Amino acid sequence: MEPKLYYSRDEMKEINIDKLKERGVSVEEIAVIAFEQEKKYNKDVQMEECVESVLKILSLRDVFHLLQLGAEIDRLAEEGQFKGPIQDIIQNDLGVFGIDEIFGLDIAHLYGSVGQTNFGDIDVNKPGVVKRLNDEGKPGKAKCHTFLDDIVGAIAAAATTRVSQIYSEETAKKELVK
Ligand code: MG
């Protein structure tokens, strides 16, 4: 049988939602982070807009590859499947191991410097599900979320940025009418 390599945006979105669920994360939990982040600057933001943006971001090919790979690395580390030093380094979420942040930055970078700044904020302050993943994956715990906490934080940051870009476009259109 031929391997399947190409997925449609709808397929990528659905497979990403399933993978997140498998690792204990819901779309709504990610959207809440984007909502809270955007609300600081924009009182009109709606939760549905954040959910819609998270779903759009989950359908992007780069996000598909990074999320699928990152979640599998976490699962394999959880199951002790890596050989050599990298098994303990990933499983114990070593602070100076920065490859998980690279995954996050790569996703956030899809939404430019603002996306990266928003990711930095989430990475430092660890709101909601990001904190939960971080706590669940602490050394000595059975779970490993070394990659997933960054990926989830970056998807939220990208969603925040997408929502604010949509509002900017709407504001520009209103100014045109004036
Ligand atoms: Mg991490």
PDB file of all heavy atoms in Angstrom, residues 142-172:
ATOM      1  N   ALA A 142       4.397  10.726  35.930  1.00  0.00           N
ATOM      2  CA  ALA A 142       4.304   9.700  34.871  1.00  0.00           C
ATOM      3  C   ALA A 142       4.202  10.306  33.470  1.00  0.00           C
ATOM      4  O   ALA A 142       4.600   9.705  32.494  1.00  0.00           O
ATOM      5  CB  ALA A 142       3.100   8.808  35.137  1.00  0.00           C
ATOM      6  N   LYS A 143       3.649  11.533  33.409  1.00  0.00           N
ATOM      7  CA  LYS A 143       3.423  12.121  32.084  1.00  0.00           C
ATOM      8  C   LYS A 143       4.607  12.951  31.594  1.00  0.00           C
ATOM      9  O   LYS A 143       5.392  13.449  32.398  1.00  0.00           O
ATOM     10  CB  LYS A 143       2.171  13.005  32.120  1.00  0.00           C
ATOM     11  CG  LYS A 143       0.928  12.172  32.325  1.00  0.00           C
ATOM     12  CD  LYS A 143      -0.313  12.897  31.876  1.00  0.00           C
ATOM     13  CE  LYS A 143      -1.499  11.948  31.959  1.00  0.00           C
ATOM     14  NZ  LYS A 143      -2.764  12.637  31.955  1.00  0.00           N
ATOM     15  N   CYS A 144       4.671  13.097  30.280  1.00  0.00           N
ATOM     16  CA  CYS A 144       5.690  13.954  29.679  1.00  0.00           C
ATOM     17  C   CYS A 144       5.004  14.898  28.700  1.00  0.00           C
ATOM     18  O   CYS A 144       4.365  14.455  27.741  1.00  0.00           O
ATOM     19  CB  CYS A 144       6.734  13.110  28.952  1.00  0.00           C
ATOM     20  SG  CYS A 144       7.923  14.113  28.035  1.00  0.00           S
ATOM     21  N   HIS A 145       5.091  16.195  28.987  1.00  0.00           N
ATOM     22  CA  HIS A 145       4.510  17.204  28.086  1.00  0.00           C
ATOM     23  C   HIS A 145       5.575  18.217  27.684  1.00  0.00           C
ATOM     24  O   HIS A 145       5.277  19.382  27.458  1.00  0.00           O
ATOM     25  CB  HIS A 145       3.356  17.948  28.767  1.00  0.00           C
ATOM     26  CG  HIS A 145       2.185  17.088  29.091  1.00  0.00           C
ATOM     27  ND1 HIS A 145       1.568  16.289  28.160  1.00  0.00           N
ATOM     28  CD2 HIS A 145       1.495  16.906  30.245  1.00  0.00           C
ATOM     29  CE1 HIS A 145       0.559  15.651  28.728  1.00  0.00           C
ATOM     30  NE2 HIS A 145       0.501  15.999  29.993  1.00  0.00           N
ATOM     31  N   THR A 146       6.810  17.771  27.618  1.00  0.00           N
ATOM     32  CA  THR A 146       7.924  18.678  27.321  1.00  0.00           C
ATOM     33  C   THR A 146       7.676  19.477  26.048  1.00  0.00           C
ATOM     34  O   THR A 146       7.883  20.697  26.019  1.00  0.00           O
ATOM     35  CB  THR A 146       9.236  17.864  27.220  1.00  0.00           C
ATOM     36  OG1 THR A 146       9.455  17.247  28.493  1.00  0.00           O
ATOM     37  CG2 THR A 146      10.418  18.748  26.871  1.00  0.00           C
ATOM     38  N   PHE A 147       7.216  18.810  25.005  1.00  0.00           N
ATOM     39  CA  PHE A 147       6.951  19.498  23.736  1.00  0.00           C
ATOM     40  C   PHE A 147       5.548  20.101  23.687  1.00  0.00           C
ATOM     41  O   PHE A 147       5.346  21.194  23.159  1.00  0.00           O
ATOM     42  CB  PHE A 147       7.169  18.543  22.550  1.00  0.00           C
ATOM     43  CG  PHE A 147       8.632  18.388  22.196  1.00  0.00           C
ATOM     44  CD1 PHE A 147       9.455  17.528  22.920  1.00  0.00           C
ATOM     45  CD2 PHE A 147       9.200  19.129  21.174  1.00  0.00           C
ATOM     46  CE1 PHE A 147      10.810  17.410  22.619  1.00  0.00           C
ATOM     47  CE2 PHE A 147      10.553  19.022  20.864  1.00  0.00           C
ATOM     48  CZ  PHE A 147      11.357  18.158  21.591  1.00  0.00           C
ATOM     49  N   LEU A 148       4.580  19.378  24.262  1.00  0.00           N
ATOM     50  CA  LEU A 148       3.186  19.819  24.084  1.00  0.00           C
ATOM     51  C   LEU A 148       2.892  21.165  24.748  1.00  0.00           C
ATOM     52  O   LEU A 148       2.124  21.967  24.208  1.00  0.00           O
ATOM     53  CB  LEU A 148       2.206  18.757  24.590  1.00  0.00           C
ATOM     54  CG  LEU A 148       0.778  18.962  24.098  1.00  0.00           C
ATOM     55  CD1 LEU A 148       0.685  18.783  22.591  1.00  0.00           C
ATOM     56  CD2 LEU A 148      -0.202  18.032  24.800  1.00  0.00           C
ATOM     57  N   ASP A 149       3.502  21.450  25.900  1.00  0.00           N
ATOM     58  CA  ASP A 149       3.181  22.727  26.552  1.00  0.00           C
ATOM     59  C   ASP A 149       3.597  23.910  25.665  1.00  0.00           C
ATOM     60  O   ASP A 149       2.858  24.903  25.560  1.00  0.00           O
ATOM     61  CB  ASP A 149       3.764  22.836  27.982  1.00  0.00           C
ATOM     62  CG  ASP A 149       5.276  22.728  28.042  1.00  0.00           C
ATOM     63  OD1 ASP A 149       5.908  22.376  27.019  1.00  0.00           O
ATOM     64  OD2 ASP A 149       5.838  22.996  29.112  1.00  0.00           O
ATOM     65  N   ASP A 150       4.730  23.770  24.986  1.00  0.00           N
ATOM     66  CA  ASP A 150       5.163  24.852  24.085  1.00  0.00           C
ATOM     67  C   ASP A 150       4.280  24.931  22.833  1.00  0.00           C
ATOM     68  O   ASP A 150       3.946  26.023  22.370  1.00  0.00           O
ATOM     69  CB  ASP A 150       6.613  24.626  23.666  1.00  0.00           C
ATOM     70  CG  ASP A 150       7.546  24.717  24.852  1.00  0.00           C
ATOM     71  OD1 ASP A 150       7.869  25.847  25.251  1.00  0.00           O
ATOM     72  OD2 ASP A 150       7.917  23.675  25.402  1.00  0.00           O
ATOM     73  N   ILE A 151       3.923  23.772  22.306  1.00  0.00           N
ATOM     74  CA  ILE A 151       3.096  23.738  21.095  1.00  0.00           C
ATOM     75  C   ILE A 151       1.724  24.350  21.377  1.00  0.00           C
ATOM     76  O   ILE A 151       1.238  25.187  20.614  1.00  0.00           O
ATOM     77  CB  ILE A 151       2.987  22.283  20.574  1.00  0.00           C
ATOM     78  CG1 ILE A 151       4.358  21.818  20.060  1.00  0.00           C
ATOM     79  CG2 ILE A 151       1.916  22.158  19.499  1.00  0.00           C
ATOM     80  CD1 ILE A 151       4.466  20.316  19.814  1.00  0.00           C
ATOM     81  N   VAL A 152       1.130  23.963  22.500  1.00  0.00           N
ATOM     82  CA  VAL A 152      -0.188  24.485  22.866  1.00  0.00           C
ATOM     83  C   VAL A 152      -0.116  26.001  23.130  1.00  0.00           C
ATOM     84  O   VAL A 152      -0.965  26.763  22.658  1.00  0.00           O
ATOM     85  CB  VAL A 152      -0.735  23.712  24.103  1.00  0.00           C
ATOM     86  CG1 VAL A 152      -1.848  24.470  24.803  1.00  0.00           C
ATOM     87  CG2 VAL A 152      -1.225  22.333  23.670  1.00  0.00           C
ATOM     88  N   GLY A 153       0.921  26.437  23.846  1.00  0.00           N
ATOM     89  CA  GLY A 153       1.103  27.870  24.109  1.00  0.00           C
ATOM     90  C   GLY A 153       1.264  28.654  22.816  1.00  0.00           C
ATOM     91  O   GLY A 153       0.709  29.751  22.658  1.00  0.00           O
ATOM     92  N   ALA A 154       2.002  28.083  21.872  1.00  0.00           N
ATOM     93  CA  ALA A 154       2.254  28.769  20.601  1.00  0.00           C
ATOM     94  C   ALA A 154       0.996  28.814  19.733  1.00  0.00           C
ATOM     95  O   ALA A 154       0.757  29.810  19.043  1.00  0.00           O
ATOM     96  CB  ALA A 154       3.380  28.069  19.851  1.00  0.00           C
ATOM     97  N   ILE A 155       0.190  27.772  19.782  1.00  0.00           N
ATOM     98  CA  ILE A 155      -1.075  27.792  19.021  1.00  0.00           C
ATOM     99  C   ILE A 155      -1.982  28.888  19.589  1.00  0.00           C
ATOM    100  O   ILE A 155      -2.607  29.646  18.845  1.00  0.00           O
ATOM    101  CB  ILE A 155      -1.768  26.407  19.048  1.00  0.00           C
ATOM    102  CG1 ILE A 155      -0.927  25.392  18.267  1.00  0.00           C
ATOM    103  CG2 ILE A 155      -3.186  26.487  18.477  1.00  0.00           C
ATOM    104  CD1 ILE A 155      -1.360  23.943  18.442  1.00  0.00           C
ATOM    105  N   ALA A 156      -2.019  28.988  20.920  1.00  0.00           N
ATOM    106  CA  ALA A 156      -2.816  30.051  21.551  1.00  0.00           C
ATOM    107  C   ALA A 156      -2.287  31.426  21.131  1.00  0.00           C
ATOM    108  O   ALA A 156      -3.061  32.320  20.771  1.00  0.00           O
ATOM    109  CB  ALA A 156      -2.783  29.908  23.074  1.00  0.00           C
ATOM    110  N   ALA A 157      -0.959  31.600  21.152  1.00  0.00           N
ATOM    111  CA  ALA A 157      -0.345  32.890  20.775  1.00  0.00           C
ATOM    112  C   ALA A 157      -0.654  33.236  19.322  1.00  0.00           C
ATOM    113  O   ALA A 157      -0.951  34.395  18.995  1.00  0.00           O
ATOM    114  CB  ALA A 157       1.167  32.821  20.988  1.00  0.00           C
ATOM    115  N   ALA A 158      -0.593  32.228  18.447  1.00  0.00           N
ATOM    116  CA  ALA A 158      -0.910  32.449  17.032  1.00  0.00           C
ATOM    117  C   ALA A 158      -2.382  32.840  16.886  1.00  0.00           C
ATOM    118  O   ALA A 158      -2.720  33.738  16.107  1.00  0.00           O
ATOM    119  CB  ALA A 158      -0.590  31.192  16.228  1.00  0.00           C
ATOM    120  N   ALA A 159      -3.242  32.191  17.660  1.00  0.00           N
ATOM    121  CA  ALA A 159      -4.684  32.497  17.599  1.00  0.00           C
ATOM    122  C   ALA A 159      -4.954  33.928  18.062  1.00  0.00           C
ATOM    123  O   ALA A 159      -5.717  34.662  17.436  1.00  0.00           O
ATOM    124  CB  ALA A 159      -5.474  31.493  18.437  1.00  0.00           C
ATOM    125  N   THR A 160      -4.311  34.344  19.150  1.00  0.00           N
ATOM    126  CA  THR A 160      -4.454  35.723  19.627  1.00  0.00           C
ATOM    127  C   THR A 160      -4.089  36.698  18.513  1.00  0.00           C
ATOM    128  O   THR A 160      -4.804  37.669  18.238  1.00  0.00           O
ATOM    129  CB  THR A 160      -3.492  36.012  20.811  1.00  0.00           C
ATOM    130  OG1 THR A 160      -3.645  35.021  21.803  1.00  0.00           O
ATOM    131  CG2 THR A 160      -3.735  37.395  21.395  1.00  0.00           C
ATOM    132  N   THR A 161      -2.961  36.424  17.872  1.00  0.00           N
ATOM    133  CA  THR A 161      -2.444  37.325  16.840  1.00  0.00           C
ATOM    134  C   THR A 161      -3.382  37.351  15.636  1.00  0.00           C
ATOM    135  O   THR A 161      -3.656  38.409  15.064  1.00  0.00           O
ATOM    136  CB  THR A 161      -1.025  36.890  16.424  1.00  0.00           C
ATOM    137  OG1 THR A 161      -0.290  36.567  17.598  1.00  0.00           O
ATOM    138  CG2 THR A 161      -0.316  37.999  15.670  1.00  0.00           C
ATOM    139  N   ARG A 162      -3.898  36.188  15.264  1.00  0.00           N
ATOM    140  CA  ARG A 162      -4.836  36.119  14.134  1.00  0.00           C
ATOM    141  C   ARG A 162      -6.096  36.935  14.441  1.00  0.00           C
ATOM    142  O   ARG A 162      -6.559  37.710  13.610  1.00  0.00           O
ATOM    143  CB  ARG A 162      -5.200  34.663  13.834  1.00  0.00           C
ATOM    144  CG  ARG A 162      -6.090  34.529  12.612  1.00  0.00           C
ATOM    145  CD  ARG A 162      -6.390  33.072  12.279  1.00  0.00           C
ATOM    146  NE  ARG A 162      -7.233  32.993  11.088  1.00  0.00           N
ATOM    147  CZ  ARG A 162      -8.545  33.055  11.100  1.00  0.00           C
ATOM    148  NH1 ARG A 162      -9.202  33.197  12.246  1.00  0.00           N
ATOM    149  NH2 ARG A 162      -9.238  32.994   9.977  1.00  0.00           N
ATOM    150  N   VAL A 163      -6.624  36.778  15.659  1.00  0.00           N
ATOM    151  CA  VAL A 163      -7.826  37.526  16.045  1.00  0.00           C
ATOM    152  C   VAL A 163      -7.547  39.029  15.971  1.00  0.00           C
ATOM    153  O   VAL A 163      -8.347  39.793  15.427  1.00  0.00           O
ATOM    154  CB  VAL A 163      -8.304  37.123  17.461  1.00  0.00           C
ATOM    155  CG1 VAL A 163      -9.356  38.083  17.989  1.00  0.00           C
ATOM    156  CG2 VAL A 163      -8.858  35.698  17.450  1.00  0.00           C
ATOM    157  N   SER A 164      -6.394  39.453  16.482  1.00  0.00           N
ATOM    158  CA  SER A 164      -6.124  40.901  16.475  1.00  0.00           C
ATOM    159  C   SER A 164      -5.903  41.410  15.055  1.00  0.00           C
ATOM    160  O   SER A 164      -6.251  42.551  14.738  1.00  0.00           O
ATOM    161  CB  SER A 164      -4.970  41.263  17.411  1.00  0.00           C
ATOM    162  OG  SER A 164      -3.763  40.831  16.885  1.00  0.00           O
ATOM    163  N   GLN A 165      -5.388  40.549  14.163  1.00  0.00           N
ATOM    164  CA  GLN A 165      -5.246  40.963  12.751  1.00  0.00           C
ATOM    165  C   GLN A 165      -6.619  41.144  12.105  1.00  0.00           C
ATOM    166  O   GLN A 165      -6.826  42.065  11.309  1.00  0.00           O
ATOM    167  CB  GLN A 165      -4.432  39.923  11.972  1.00  0.00           C
ATOM    168  CG  GLN A 165      -2.937  40.013  12.265  1.00  0.00           C
ATOM    169  CD  GLN A 165      -2.139  38.911  11.583  1.00  0.00           C
ATOM    170  OE1 GLN A 165      -2.691  38.035  10.936  1.00  0.00           O
ATOM    171  NE2 GLN A 165      -0.829  38.958  11.754  1.00  0.00           N
ATOM    172  N   ILE A 166      -7.553  40.276  12.446  1.00  0.00           N
ATOM    173  CA  ILE A 166      -8.911  40.395  11.893  1.00  0.00           C
ATOM    174  C   ILE A 166      -9.547  41.705  12.364  1.00  0.00           C
ATOM    175  O   ILE A 166     -10.152  42.433  11.582  1.00  0.00           O
ATOM    176  CB  ILE A 166      -9.772  39.166  12.290  1.00  0.00           C
ATOM    177  CG1 ILE A 166      -9.233  37.916  11.565  1.00  0.00           C
ATOM    178  CG2 ILE A 166     -11.251  39.389  11.964  1.00  0.00           C
ATOM    179  CD1 ILE A 166      -9.814  36.606  12.043  1.00  0.00           C
ATOM    180  N   TYR A 167      -9.361  42.018  13.667  1.00  0.00           N
ATOM    181  CA  TYR A 167      -9.907  43.289  14.180  1.00  0.00           C
ATOM    182  C   TYR A 167      -9.244  44.493  13.500  1.00  0.00           C
ATOM    183  O   TYR A 167      -9.905  45.488  13.210  1.00  0.00           O
ATOM    184  CB  TYR A 167      -9.765  43.366  15.705  1.00  0.00           C
ATOM    185  CG  TYR A 167     -10.935  42.736  16.413  1.00  0.00           C
ATOM    186  CD1 TYR A 167     -10.905  41.410  16.817  1.00  0.00           C
ATOM    187  CD2 TYR A 167     -12.106  43.467  16.649  1.00  0.00           C
ATOM    188  CE1 TYR A 167     -11.993  40.816  17.448  1.00  0.00           C
ATOM    189  CE2 TYR A 167     -13.190  42.889  17.278  1.00  0.00           C
ATOM    190  CZ  TYR A 167     -13.128  41.557  17.678  1.00  0.00           C
ATOM    191  OH  TYR A 167     -14.209  40.987  18.284  1.00  0.00           O
ATOM    192  N   SER A 168      -7.953  44.397  13.241  1.00  0.00           N
ATOM    193  CA  SER A 168      -7.247  45.508  12.574  1.00  0.00           C
ATOM    194  C   SER A 168      -7.824  45.745  11.190  1.00  0.00           C
ATOM    195  O   SER A 168      -8.006  46.888  10.758  1.00  0.00           O
ATOM    196  CB  SER A 168      -5.754  45.193  12.432  1.00  0.00           C
ATOM    197  OG  SER A 168      -5.189  44.954  13.681  1.00  0.00           O
ATOM    198  N   GLU A 169      -8.108  44.645  10.491  1.00  0.00           N
ATOM    199  CA  GLU A 169      -8.681  44.739   9.146  1.00  0.00           C
ATOM    200  C   GLU A 169     -10.061  45.403   9.203  1.00  0.00           C
ATOM    201  O   GLU A 169     -10.378  46.275   8.388  1.00  0.00           O
ATOM    202  CB  GLU A 169      -8.767  43.320   8.546  1.00  0.00           C
ATOM    203  CG  GLU A 169      -9.349  43.224   7.154  1.00  0.00           C
ATOM    204  CD  GLU A 169      -8.481  43.858   6.074  1.00  0.00           C
ATOM    205  OE1 GLU A 169      -7.318  44.165   6.351  1.00  0.00           O
ATOM    206  OE2 GLU A 169      -9.003  44.069   4.953  1.00  0.00           O
ATOM    207  N   GLU A 170     -10.852  44.995  10.212  1.00  0.00           N
ATOM    208  CA  GLU A 170     -12.196  45.588  10.344  1.00  0.00           C
ATOM    209  C   GLU A 170     -12.116  47.077  10.653  1.00  0.00           C
ATOM    210  O   GLU A 170     -12.881  47.877  10.123  1.00  0.00           O
ATOM    211  CB  GLU A 170     -12.997  44.838  11.414  1.00  0.00           C
ATOM    212  CG  GLU A 170     -13.513  43.505  10.880  1.00  0.00           C
ATOM    213  CD  GLU A 170     -14.027  42.572  11.957  1.00  0.00           C
ATOM    214  OE1 GLU A 170     -14.148  43.020  13.120  1.00  0.00           O
ATOM    215  OE2 GLU A 170     -14.286  41.398  11.630  1.00  0.00           O
ATOM    216  N   THR A 171     -11.175  47.450  11.521  1.00  0.00           N
ATOM    217  CA  THR A 171     -10.996  48.863  11.863  1.00  0.00           C
ATOM    218  C   THR A 171     -10.604  49.648  10.613  1.00  0.00           C
ATOM    219  O   THR A 171     -11.137  50.737  10.350  1.00  0.00           O
ATOM    220  CB  THR A 171      -9.892  49.014  12.942  1.00  0.00           C
ATOM    221  OG1 THR A 171     -10.229  48.185  14.034  1.00  0.00           O
ATOM    222  CG2 THR A 171      -9.764  50.453  13.413  1.00  0.00           C
ATOM    223  N   ALA A 172      -9.698  49.089   9.829  1.00  0.00           N
ATOM    224  CA  ALA A 172      -9.253  49.778   8.603  1.00  0.00           C
ATOM    225  C   ALA A 172     -10.420  49.988   7.651  1.00  0.00           C
ATOM    226  O   ALA A 172     -10.545  51.052   7.049  1.00  0.00           O
ATOM    227  CB  ALA A 172      -8.155  48.947   7.933  1.00  0.00           C
TER     228      ALA A 172
END
